[in-house]
Amino acid sequence: MESLALNTEVRLAVAQCFRTLTTSTDTKDIITTLQTLHSYLDEGPEELRWVVASTNLDRLVSITEKFLQSGRLAELLWSYCLETGPSDSPQLRETLLGRIVALPDLAANRLHPKNKPLFLPQQYHPLLATAMLTALERTCQALKDGTDCSLTFVAQTLGKVCIQGHSVMAPRLSACTRSDMVWQRVCWKLLENVPQQWMESVLTGLVQAVSGPEALGRIIGNLVLTNKKAQFVITHKLLLLQYKYETQVLRIVLGYLAADRERRPLLIQVLRSVSQAWANPSAVKHTPLEQQLYVSKALLLSVSLLRDSELQELRSELLQCLLGGMQSHLDSSVVRIRRMGMVVGECLSSRMDINNTKLKFEYDQDEESQELLSLMTPIAVSTSLDDELTPYDMSGDQEIMEAPPPRYLRDCLETLISSEDAVHVELSLRAAEVLLVAHIFIIKLTHVQLTKVLLHMEDKYSINSFLSLRQATMVALTVTDSIPVTQYLTTEFYSLNYSLRQRLDILEVLALAAQELSKPINEKRNPSMGIDASTDLTLYPGDNPVHWRQVVEKRIQSKTKRLRKGATQPPAEATPNRYAPVAGHFFFPLLSNYDKPQVTFDLLGGDHLVLGRLIHTLGLFMHLAINAPIAAQMGCALLDFVWAVRYHVDQMVRRGVLFAVCSVFLSMPSQNLLVDLSDQLFETRKWLADVAEGDPDADCRNLAVQSLVLLDKSLKKQLQDQQALSMEP
């Protein structure tokens, strides 16, 4: 009873002290009251101190609860947006920020089990999100009225909330930014002000909570271009370092990068990083299966988002990824890894469409493989304002070109150099080849300059069939003005500051032009048909190994003599063509400088794809030079060149070497083989025998056998000719 009476007395005294502190203006009364409270806390019995603290805590809880219920938290945040509140120190602001964000934890520690429902996380965090949204909405209105605001404190609050794992604002920000540009600008500024140490938590919370890439773009804008931390998180950490997220997160991140012209270079950067990670043999062996599956999904989604022009630029890198990565996956003893490699290989080959060839494997389909296959079908992007409108049928519409096509080649050149009009650029690109053929005898002053423009030209306007138009015009230029244009192209092939795609373009143009020039002069050709796209001479080793081997066998068969009873068919006679006089201009410049590593180009180093295609192109030039006076000199030089790389680690390079050797044996006169290459034939034959027996690649083995057959036939023919000559009187 005494304790109860004592508690009642103390409570009354404490209540009187609070009334005095609230109403009194007398300094002496206030000091005396504070001393009384202090004596209760420090000097009184334990029961008295507990009563005073309990009274203070109850009052504080009541005040805080009313503060939140009356919307004062939004007012507090808004005062920091207007910067009208009392000046405070960084320490005080940091303390206030910590108390706002950690209130549920603080309340649980002090009030448990008598905690208030309003302080529980499931109620408090939505309330805090509403307060922040209210402050942002007022900021939008203030900006419309011409009043400046600061979002620093709200951004700090957002960052500190997200670091604790709470992200409840994303859906509402997505709705607010759907049709209001001011809201979008405010959100962009909000994200810019998030401290770097909390940026990752904010972004990971957003990408998991937004509905799609469009919503993410509306909320964060081009933050990845201006903030290095954001760029690292979006383009690297979410794709390569972490793999716990659902596929939808990958769709959102990659779709966000692909949705804006300024962000698309980051999509290309991501694709390069992901393809290297997928093809890395060490990663295939040592990383968890879940991470390999995650990277495979990222690779396929990235490729599905590429435009055709971007795909052509990355074709060589993707081909290297396809060949190397599939080998690493298929060599694995884990069934899931092998199946993963098969599915990704099928998808990549289908998207790249290499010579209309698509890989196809046999494997048991499961949910995992079906999901990977589905990633190559992009999800249509919806527009929030037009979703409910019936689309107008435009299937019968035809594209109308209002501007007249250019009439002269110089007009095409000037347009391609300086015009920013997409229609005029497309018309000039389409007219250039026709004008070249129609005015073949006009002075050829613009040909090299036009070739230079086309070589460096990019598809800025998404022109239909841009790559084929560009290539056909460059081929026509090379055919029309062979020596100057080939001198330019072969020189630029070894120059600095060219991408691998441009160097491959040079080889393809030269190969197509050489084939066109090698046609008999009396053969009629319709200029409007362009270069024959069905030719098999432009195939590269590795693009389609089976068909390529059939092509070589077909050529060998056409050169093989068969003994028959009765009348025999005479061999095809040599016919004049335009390639023979200029064959050396195509061939010999490409043999120079190959062993001098450049800044971005190292044939004998890591650029295996370019080396393989260079050797194949030289072999093609050799084959087309059959019956040309310079064929013997070309054959000796080509064998000397490929001899140094005959044991290359890359099977594509080895196939190119063997194709070149076949071309030498097919096109070089047999007497020159025995006379000019007598010192090398024994070692060459021994090497071919070793390849035919022991090369791990089946195509290389078959080509080696065919080369041996050709060599034996040429030597046998030469010996027979010499015997016939010796028997003549």
Side-chain angles (χ1 to χ4, degrees):
M1 292 294 293
E2 293 181 2
S3 176
L4 179 61
L6 182 61
N7 288 343
T8 303
E9 182 181 350
V10 171
R11 288 182 183 276
L12 292 174
V14 169
Q16 181 60 42
C17 289
F18 277 116
R19 283 194 294 272
T20 302
L21 291 174
T22 304
T23 59
S24 177
T25 58
D26 189 345
T27 304
K28 292 183 178 179
D29 288 345
I30 294 174
I31 293 175
T32 302
T33 302
L34 290 174
Q35 289 174 342
T36 301
L37 289 173
H38 186 270
S39 65
Y40 286 155
L41 290 172
D42 292 342
E43 299 174 1
E46 179 67 26
E47 294 85 354
L48 294 181
R49 294 201 299 272
W50 185 88
V51 168
V52 174
S54 176
T55 303
N56 287 341
L57 184 60
D58 290 343
R59 183 172 180 81
L60 182 60
V61 167
S62 176
I63 292 173
T64 304
E65 194 171 20
K66 290 179 181 178
F67 180 85
L68 296 176
Q69 290 172 339
S70 61
R72 299 299 295 173
L73 183 56
E75 294 294 335
L76 174 64
L77 296 174
W78 173 234
S79 69
Y80 276 99
C81 293
L82 286 177
E83 298 183 325
T84 57
S87 60
D88 53 13
S89 64
Q91 293 79 10
L92 177 59
R93 180 172 296 199
E94 180 64 27
T95 302
L96 177 61
L97 186 64
R99 294 295 185 270
I100 290 175
V101 172
L103 180 61
D105 296 331
L106 295 173
N109 290 336
R110 297 296 298 273
L111 300 178
H112 184 76
K114 298 180 180 180
N115 200 357
K116 299 289 185 178
L118 188 59
F119 298 159
L120 298 176
Q122 57 267 32
Q123 290 194 30
Y124 177 75
H125 287 296
L127 186 147
L128 177 58
T130 301
M132 287 192 284
L133 285 165
T134 301
L136 294 177
E137 186 174 4
R138 292 183 180 179
T139 300
C140 291
Q141 188 58 49
L143 292 176
K144 293 177 182 178
D145 296 337
T147 303
D148 292 335
C149 297
S150 170
L151 294 174
T152 302
F153 189 78
V154 179
Q156 292 172 345
T157 306
L158 174 64
K160 210 166 181 67
V161 169
C162 289
I163 200 70
Q164 295 185 356
H166 304 287
S167 181
V168 294
M169 290 180 63
R172 297 169 73 176
L173 288 179
S174 176
C176 292
T177 56
R178 186 170 288 122
S179 59
D180 192 330
M181 280 301 301
V182 177
W183 255 105
Q184 291 184 23
R185 298 282 182 179
V186 167
C187 286
W188 299 350
K189 194 66 176 178
L190 175 70
L191 270 294
E192 289 176 9
N193 281 278
V194 172
Q196 294 298 296
Q197 67 267 28
W198 300 327
M199 181 63 74
E200 179 180 346
S201 299
V202 173
L203 290 176
T204 52
L206 281 173
V207 298
Q208 293 179 84
V210 295
S211 58
E214 315 84 26
L216 182 63
R218 293 198 306 267
I219 294 173
I220 72 173
N222 283 343
L223 185 69
V224 288
L225 302 178
T226 58
N227 188 294
K228 292 296 183 183
K229 179 74 173 195
Q231 184 177 123
F232 173 75
V233 172
I234 292 290
T235 65
H236 190 77
K237 195 159 189 179
L238 288 175
L239 302 175
L240 293 173
L241 299 184
Q242 297 176 345
Y243 52 94
K244 61 183 179 181
Y245 302 106
E246 299 293 332
T247 306
Q248 179 64 9
V249 170
L250 287 174
R251 288 189 182 276
I252 290 172
V253 170
L254 295 170
Y256 161 74
L257 295 178
D260 183 84
R261 177 176 57 85
E262 296 182 1
R263 298 195 294 262
R264 286 195 74 88
L266 291 179
L267 176 66
I268 307 299
Q269 172 186 318
V270 162
L271 177 58
R272 288 194 170 104
S273 301
V274 172
S275 62
Q276 290 172 5
W278 184 81
N280 189 333
S282 178
V284 174
K285 291 181 181 178
H286 303 298
T287 57
L289 274 171
E290 290 73 17
Q291 186 170 7
Q292 294 187 47
L293 177 62
Y294 190 80
V295 171
S296 299
K297 292 177 182 179
L299 174 59
L300 294 181
L301 283 171
S302 301
V303 172
S304 72
L305 291 168
L306 288 182
R307 300 191 181 109
D308 290 342
S309 57
E310 295 167 333
L311 184 65
Q312 286 299 323
E313 292 179 6
L314 294 166
R315 189 170 179 272
S316 61
E317 297 174 55
L318 287 176
L319 186 58
Q320 285 182 327
C321 165
L322 175 63
L323 296 176
M326 281 187 56
Q327 187 67 42
S328 301
H329 283 75
L330 295 179
D331 288 343
S332 174
S333 60
V334 181
V335 175
R336 280 183 66 189
I337 294 179
R338 290 202 302 273
R339 183 167 53 217
M340 205 181 302
M342 294 177 190
V343 176
V344 174
E346 285 184 357
C347 294
L348 290 182
S349 69
S350 175
R351 181 69 174 89
M352 294 168 67
D353 193 21
I354 306 170
N355 295 323
N356 297 320
T357 302
K358 299 179 180 179
L359 294 175
K360 187 63 180 175
F361 297 96
E362 292 185 3
Y363 53 86
D364 296 330
Q365 286 203 7
D366 57 1
E367 291 184 5
E368 184 175 291
S369 60
Q370 290 175 354
E371 182 184 14
L372 288 174
L373 290 169
S374 70
L375 298 180
M376 293 302 291
T377 304
I379 295 179
V381 178
S382 63
T383 55
S384 57
L385 298 180
D386 300 331
D387 284 346
E388 298 179 359
L389 299 179
T390 303
Y392 185 77
D393 183 11
M394 302 179 66
S395 58
D397 289 5
Q398 295 182 352
E399 188 175 359
I400 299 177
M401 293 291 188
E402 298 180 356
R407 299 177 59 186
Y408 300 101
L409 196 62
R410 184 172 292 279
D411 296 336
C412 294
L413 176 61
E414 292 177 356
T415 300
L416 294 176
I417 290 177
S418 58
S419 178
E420 296 294 333
D421 189 314
V423 174
H424 284 84
V425 170
E426 181 173 356
L427 285 171
S428 297
L429 193 59
R430 293 185 180 279
E433 183 191 8
V434 178
L435 291 175
L436 275 167
V437 177
H439 303 88
I440 192 170
F441 298 110
I442 294 180
I443 298 176
K444 307 169 182 178
L445 297 178
T446 61
H447 291 173
V448 173
Q449 189 176 3
L450 182 55
T451 304
K452 180 178 181 179
V453 171
L454 290 169
L455 181 61
H456 292 83
M457 189 176 182
E458 297 179 354
D459 188 14
K460 297 190 297 184
Y461 306 108
S462 300
I463 297 172
N464 291 332
S465 305
F466 168 80
L467 294 173
S468 59
L469 289 170
R470 170 175 166 267
Q471 184 185 75
T473 306
M474 292 176 70
V475 171
L477 286 164
T478 311
V479 170
T480 304
D481 202 5
S482 299
I483 295 178
V485 176
T486 53
Q487 286 177 345
Y488 168 74
L489 290 176
T490 53
T491 300
E492 295 304 296
F493 180 77
Y494 287 108
S495 297
L496 299 177
N497 301 322
Y498 278 93
S499 66
L500 295 183
R501 178 66 258 171
Q502 287 174 305
R503 300 185 200 278
L504 295 176
D505 287 342
I506 291 174
L507 294 178
E508 290 175 4
V509 167
L510 290 172
L512 287 167
Q515 180 200 340
E516 180 68 15
L517 289 169
S518 68
K519 293 180 179 179
I521 290 178
N522 57 5
E523 181 178 324
K524 300 297 183 182
R525 172 176 173 265
N526 183 359
S528 64
M529 296 299 292
I531 301 300
D532 185 6
S534 64
T535 177
D536 54 23
L537 291 178
T538 57
L539 292 175
Y540 290 102
D543 286 354
N544 189 349
V546 176
H547 182 59
W548 182 62
R549 184 172 66 250
Q550 294 171 351
V551 170
V552 176
E553 291 174 351
K554 180 180 177 181
R555 294 179 192 162
I556 294 174
Q557 293 297 328
S558 67
K559 295 293 180 180
T560 303
K561 294 182 179 179
R562 289 178 173 80
L563 298 177
R564 299 177 183 169
K565 293 183 179 180
T568 59
Q569 198 172 19
E573 295 183 358
T575 56
N577 62 61
R578 293 175 291 169
Y579 174 69
V582 296
H585 294 280
F586 282 79
F587 183 84
F588 289 106
L590 288 178
L591 285 178
S592 63
N593 298 323
Y594 69 88
D595 56 350
K596 297 179 181 178
Q598 304 295 331
V599 176
T600 58
F601 182 46
D602 186 5
L603 270 182
L604 300 183
D607 295 321
H608 298 170
L609 178 64
V610 182
L611 176 61
R613 292 205 170 182
L614 171 62
I615 294 174
H616 184 272
T617 304
L618 292 170
L620 174 61
F621 294 159
M622 181 73 233
H623 175 76
L624 296 176
I626 187 171
N627 297 319
I630 203 172
Q633 185 180 352
M634 291 172 62
C636 293
L638 184 55
L639 282 182
D640 184 61
F641 169 63
V642 300
W643 190 253
V645 291
R646 66 190 186 281
Y647 290 118
H648 202 281
V649 294
D650 193 300
Q651 62 185 14
M652 286 181 57
V653 176
R654 299 199 305 276
R655 289 177 189 171
V657 169
L658 290 162
F659 172 74
V661 172
C662 281
S663 298
V664 172
F665 293 161
L666 279 168
S667 306
M668 193 170 175
S670 56
Q671 64 270 22
N672 292 98
L673 275 177
L674 196 59
V675 174
D676 298 339
L677 301 175
S678 58
D679 296 337
Q680 303 177 26
L681 287 182
F682 177 76
E683 288 194 18
T684 301
R685 201 179 190 290
K686 184 178 182 301
W687 161 64
L688 289 172
D690 292 341
V691 174
E693 183 178 353
D695 195 282
D697 182 67
D699 292 297
C700 290
R701 295 195 299 272
N702 291 333
L703 283 171
V705 171
Q706 293 164 1
S707 299
L708 285 170
V709 172
L710 286 172
L711 178 58
D712 289 345
K713 287 183 179 294
S714 296
L715 295 179
K716 184 177 180 181
K717 179 180 182 301
Q718 180 60 20
L719 291 174
Q720 290 174 346
D721 291 343
Q722 289 180 355
Q723 289 176 358
L725 288 174
S726 63
M727 294 175 63
E728 290 182 359

